[in-house]
Amino acid sequence: MQDQKRVIIDYVSPSVNCGEFYIKRVVNEIVNIDAHLMADGHDVLGASVLYKHEKDKTWKETRMALLSNDEWQASFTVEKQGFYTYKVQAWVDYALNWRYGLIRKINDNQHVFSELLEGAEYIEAILNKVTADDKAYLLRLHKLFKNEDDYGEAITEATTERLYQIFFKNPVKQFDNSSKDYQVYVDRNKARFSTWYEFFPRSASEKEGVHGTFKDCERLLPRVKNMGFDVVYLPPIHPIGEVHRKGKNNTTKAKDGDVGSTWGVGSQYGGHKDIHPQLGTLDDFKSLIKKAKDNGLEIAMDYALQAAPDHPWVKDHPKWFKWRPDGTVQYAENPPKKYQDILPIYWESEDYKNLWNECLDVMMYWINCGINIFRVDNPHTKPFYFWNWIITEVKAKHPDVIFLAEAFTAPKVMQQLAKNGYTQSYTYFTWRESKHELIAYIEELTTSELKEYMQPNFWPNTPDINPYHLQGANESKHIQRYALAATLSSSIGIYGPVFEYMLSSSLLGKEEYLNSEKFQITHYDWDIKSKLITIIAKINYIRHNNPALQQTNNIKFCHIENDNLMAFYKWNDDRTNQIFVIISLDAHNSQQGTVQVPLHDIGVHHGHNLEMHDLITDSRYNWNSEWCFVELHPTMPFHIFKINK
């Protein structure tokens, strides 16, 4: 027979797959807990959220409040990195139940001396739990409740707020019930707020036709910093396979001098723990990591678990590949794409334990070199259980490490990767264009269970994706797409300098770049300055100085009478920073409309004067109505207003 209990804990949120996976937060964020609690009859209930960090020995407690319809709520703040455990505890609060019934009887003019004697017993139960001052007060009440001559004073004292608060703060949790334990993993702040810039090191040289080096990359760091980015993401830096190497524009046969795809990892010069010799040495790479840190930047590495046909693994660990009867390995495919220069790893190998350990060792090697951010290539083509294992192993020793999942795949697959530990995820933003598409997608990310465990990272372009709407697009379209990404999501990235130079020539009928850097070295004039670059830098500066834009989930879309205009309101948790964004989705024509200002959310009434400070132009407007007129021109297709009350 189970222990006697009265309270049912019917539902606890947030939880992912009923607690099978952990939710996610960053340091100093709030976890809001909701629970459905009920008991038979009409007794007064009490409830708490208990929580503790993995290194704490004792639980901390915060009381829950009843909202309505048996729905209770509380919150706590996570202050340290690592795992927190939380659970809901509930009980019938007999002391408060006594007080509630007593007051109703007194109001009905009933004689309640017997009930006062019961109250004295509830006082006795907590005398050793209260402060000295409260104990003296309770002892006086205890005497009053037992002396019928003090009846008038006793019923007055029995109904005081002070007694209620003492009972509330010192509950006797008889027959309490507890939910299962749930977990929240707490990351450093960069897990939630990051601004990525991707470029190919081999294209970093100042001299045309010369292979770039890590030293060339060092030269570019101040440029990246001045544009307001804080993460420099480098495509694979490892030796590139020479067998079946791809030529320019993904041709199947390389010509003399073709450098191949950086994702075709491994050659006679080494594998995943080695560096392409033309980029420099390991010491050069470590120097780049240090110089980046000196500029307030972090280097993110590409973690691509695949092998060129001449990767050392193929010879040294043949069981890690699936061999066909004719003695060959089927090259990687993602129809209609073919990757003749890559051999997929055979994850069902009987030698999988050694394979897994080597993959972990590769990551640990680069972490020990100073890398704490990994962009993982095609994680959806590797087992989910593998990712759960390797991420858990890494985070246990190196909690600062961040994992970005490069998985443009089915929604539930992307979600499963996030559940299994990925810190951030690429998203469908790259293809969302219309007002309806954007709002529906953002609301899915920020109002569903996804907000608890999946941090989106919005990229307008990548080396793999030259979206149709950017092909031949004008400056206004590029500004619009960056402004959308940077204000809708707290983590964003671009592939440059292709994006800011508006280089969008494509292969006919495909979302792929013509003369793609994936297969060749490209020479750039890195000193170009433009309006687009200036605006990107300004937007990034605004992001770094406004906490409302450093999170994704606090967003409300506002009605505006024009489908070519989108408006939304963002805020930080205590609403000390409030941002109002209006963006035109028309890159060619002026658009105007009337926008509904969310006065109730801002905390003001109609007629109250709001100073709307445009953080891009530094213009200031006075709005004192719920509906306000706006007009945007393609030359500056957006407003980022800071709301000053």
Side-chain angles (χ1 to χ4, degrees):
M1 182 181 295
Q2 69 176 30
D3 293 336
Q4 190 171 359
K5 298 173 183 177
R6 290 278 309 283
V7 182
I8 295 294
I9 301 175
D10 188 49
Y11 168 84
V12 176
S13 173
S15 68
V16 183
N17 287 38
C18 298
E20 181 181 356
F21 300 103
Y22 50 81
I23 65 169
K24 299 172 187 174
R25 294 292 187 274
V26 299
V27 173
N28 292 326
E29 279 192 329
I30 296 171
V31 180
N32 293 306
I33 305 296
D34 294 287
H36 298 175
L37 311 174
M38 65 202 76
D40 56 285
H42 306 285
D43 288 343
V44 175
L45 305 186
S48 291
V49 171
L50 305 181
Y51 63 98
K52 64 178 179 178
H53 186 266
E54 58 186 322
K55 293 184 179 179
D56 292 340
K57 293 183 179 179
T58 58
W59 294 90
K60 295 180 181 178
E61 180 175 1
T62 182
R63 291 294 293 269
M64 303 189 79
L66 173 63
L67 302 181
S68 63
N69 192 28
D70 298 318
E71 295 181 12
W72 294 67
Q73 192 174 73
S75 63
F76 64 94
T77 300
V78 288
E79 299 174 341
K80 297 181 288 187
Q81 286 180 234
F83 279 105
Y84 280 76
T85 300
Y86 62 94
K87 62 183 177 181
V88 171
Q89 184 184 48
W91 60 93
V92 173
D93 198 315
Y94 291 100
L96 292 183
N97 196 56
W98 162 81
R99 181 180 177 276
Y100 174 74
L102 181 78
I103 291 173
R104 297 185 73 181
K105 290 179 180 179
I106 291 172
N107 291 339
D108 191 43
N109 295 314
Q110 297 182 29
H111 189 74
V112 293
F113 182 68
S114 178
E115 285 81 358
L116 289 173
L117 294 177
E118 292 177 16
E121 293 179 352
Y122 290 123
I123 287 174
E124 291 170 8
I126 63 172
L127 283 174
N128 293 328
K129 299 172 62 177
V130 299
T131 65
D133 187 48
D134 284 343
K135 186 173 184 179
Y137 172 71
L138 290 178
L139 287 172
R140 186 172 73 85
L141 263 59
H142 185 268
K143 185 177 180 181
L144 288 174
F145 289 1
K146 287 198 162 193
N147 188 348
E148 198 161 5
D149 292 338
D150 295 322
Y151 181 79
E153 185 180 359
I155 61 173
T156 298
E157 290 290 346
T159 61
T160 61
E161 177 67 17
R162 183 176 182 183
L163 182 59
Y164 171 83
Q165 289 297 331
I166 292 173
F167 279 143
F168 179 82
K169 294 174 182 177
N170 302 279
V172 176
K173 300 177 181 178
Q174 190 176 9
F175 307 133
D176 64 290
N177 192 10
S178 294
S179 71
K180 66 186 292 184
D181 289 355
Y182 300 91
Q183 285 191 307
V184 49
Y185 185 78
V186 183
D187 258 306
R188 59 186 174 119
N189 287 322
K190 186 150 284 186
R192 180 77 70 228
F193 174 59
S194 55
T195 315
W196 297 51
Y197 186 84
E198 175 182 5
F199 71 92
F200 284 76
R202 67 186 184 188
S203 295
S205 175
E206 289 183 285
K207 298 179 180 179
E208 188 168 3
V210 176
H211 195 289
T213 67
F214 292 136
K215 293 297 181 185
D216 292 314
C217 294
E218 287 186 11
R219 186 189 80 255
L220 298 177
L221 294 176
R223 176 187 185 273
V224 177
K225 175 64 175 177
N226 290 338
M227 289 178 68
F229 295 93
D230 51 50
V231 177
V232 176
Y233 158 48
L234 306 178
I237 60 171
H238 312 298
I240 298 170
E242 297 169 2
V243 176
H244 300 312
R245 175 178 284 189
K246 288 293 190 76
K248 294 178 180 178
N249 287 311
N250 202 18
T251 54
T252 54
K253 290 187 178 181
K255 298 179 181 179
D256 288 343
D258 282 346
V259 292
S261 168
T262 58
W263 281 274
V265 178
S267 75
Q268 60 178 314
Y269 299 107
H272 283 78
K273 294 178 185 175
D274 299 289
I275 288 172
H276 193 285
Q278 289 179 280
L279 291 174
T281 65
L282 180 60
D283 286 340
D284 292 334
F285 185 54
K286 290 181 178 179
S287 174
L288 175 62
I289 295 170
K290 182 181 183 304
K291 290 290 176 60
K293 187 176 181 180
D294 292 342
N295 279 274
L297 301 165
E298 282 193 63
I299 299 293
M301 277 189 71
D302 199 284
Y303 186 67
L305 292 181
Q306 57 213 26
D310 41 338
H311 191 297
W313 284 353
V314 179
K315 179 180 178 182
D316 298 339
H317 301 282
K319 290 183 179 179
W320 295 357
F321 304 90
K322 188 171 185 178
W323 299 88
R324 298 187 293 187
D326 63 358
T328 63
V329 176
Q330 172 63 48
Y331 57 75
E333 291 184 291
N334 182 18
K337 295 181 179 180
K338 298 181 179 181
Y339 305 95
Q340 292 91 339
D341 56 338
I342 293 173
L343 302 186
I345 290 172
Y346 182 39
W347 293 99
E348 296 175 348
S349 167
E350 63 184 32
D351 194 33
Y352 79 94
K353 289 184 178 179
N354 287 324
L355 169 61
W356 284 28
N357 284 324
E358 174 64 12
C359 293
L360 174 61
D361 200 48
V362 166
M363 185 165 281
M364 290 297 193
Y365 176 83
W366 294 112
I367 292 171
N368 291 332
C369 290
I371 296 296
N372 277 321
I373 304 179
F374 293 92
R375 177 270 199 189
V376 181
D377 189 60
N378 281 330
H380 53 294
T381 61
K382 290 83 181 173
F384 297 115
Y385 292 105
F386 165 74
W387 291 124
N388 187 293
W389 173 79
I390 198 170
I391 292 173
T392 301
E393 290 289 315
V394 168
K395 294 291 259 183
K397 297 178 180 177
H398 303 281
D400 279 353
V401 174
I402 289 170
F403 299 86
L404 170 62
E406 187 266 343
F408 296 105
T409 184
K412 287 183 174 56
V413 174
M414 296 168 70
Q415 294 163 22
Q416 190 64 216
L417 290 167
K419 289 177 181 179
N420 278 281
Y422 271 91
T423 320
Q424 298 181 3
S425 176
Y426 280 70
T427 66
Y428 302 134
F429 166 78
T430 314
W431 297 277
R432 297 296 187 261
E433 238 194 312
S434 72
K435 181 177 180 176
H436 171 75
E437 289 175 324
L438 286 164
I439 291 177
Y441 187 49
I442 302 305
E443 288 185 339
E444 178 187 355
L445 291 172
T446 61
T447 63
S448 73
E449 185 187 66
L450 290 175
K451 69 180 181 180
E452 303 294 350
Y453 65 87
M454 183 174 170
Q455 170 59 47
N457 196 323
F458 281 9
W459 289 66
N461 73 324
T462 77
D464 291 304
I465 306 168
N466 179 14
Y468 290 124
H469 56 252
L470 285 182
Q471 294 178 16
N474 62 10
E475 180 184 70
S476 183
K477 186 68 175 181
H478 283 78
I479 293 173
Q480 171 210 114
R481 293 302 293 179
Y482 193 79
L484 282 167
T487 54
L488 289 170
S489 176
S490 55
S491 286
I492 60 169
I494 59 170
Y495 156 48
V498 169
F499 183 84
E500 67 265 30
Y501 288 177
M502 299 186 293
L503 305 173
S504 58
S505 297
S506 63
L507 290 175
L508 185 62
K510 296 184 178 181
E511 287 188 307
E512 296 181 34
Y513 286 99
L514 182 65
N515 300 320
S516 170
E517 265 187 286
K518 291 200 303 179
F519 307 104
Q520 67 183 64
I521 296 172
T522 303
H523 179 257
Y524 299 107
D525 178 358
W526 292 92
D527 295 324
I528 291 176
K529 294 188 171 31
S530 69
K531 174 182 171 182
L532 178 55
I533 292 173
T534 301
I535 289 177
I536 289 172
K538 185 71 172 179
I539 291 174
N540 289 343
Y541 174 83
I542 291 168
R543 280 164 49 85
H544 279 275
N545 286 277
N546 287 276
L549 297 176
Q550 295 170 17
Q551 57 74 46
T552 302
N553 293 330
N554 293 345
I555 185 170
K556 179 177 183 177
F557 290 96
C558 302
H559 183 74
I560 187 166
E561 296 175 336
N562 185 332
D563 283 342
N564 287 306
L565 293 175
M566 191 164 79
F568 51 93
Y569 163 66
K570 299 197 80 171
W571 64 94
N572 63 337
D573 283 338
D574 61 7
R575 295 189 193 262
T576 55
N577 183 241
Q578 300 182 83
I579 296 292
F580 195 62
V581 179
I582 306 172
I583 298 180
S584 171
L585 303 180
D586 187 340
H588 301 284
N589 305 288
S590 293
Q591 294 291 337
Q592 54 186 233
T594 305
V595 62
Q596 185 176 22
V597 184
L599 298 180
H600 178 75
D601 298 280
I602 295 170
V604 299
H605 54 78
H606 179 78
H608 181 94
N609 187 70
L610 293 174
E611 182 190 72
M612 308 297 284
H613 180 195
D614 190 323
L615 298 176
I616 292 291
T617 65
D618 202 32
S619 299
R620 297 171 190 265
Y621 307 87
N622 290 318
W623 289 7
N624 55 18
S625 173
E626 182 180 5
W627 293 90
C628 294
F629 175 82
V630 293
E631 182 173 11
L632 287 168
H633 189 272
T635 56
M636 189 61 71
F638 70 104
H639 289 297
I640 301 177
F641 290 122
K642 183 177 181 181
I643 303 172
N644 297 317
K645 295 192 288 186

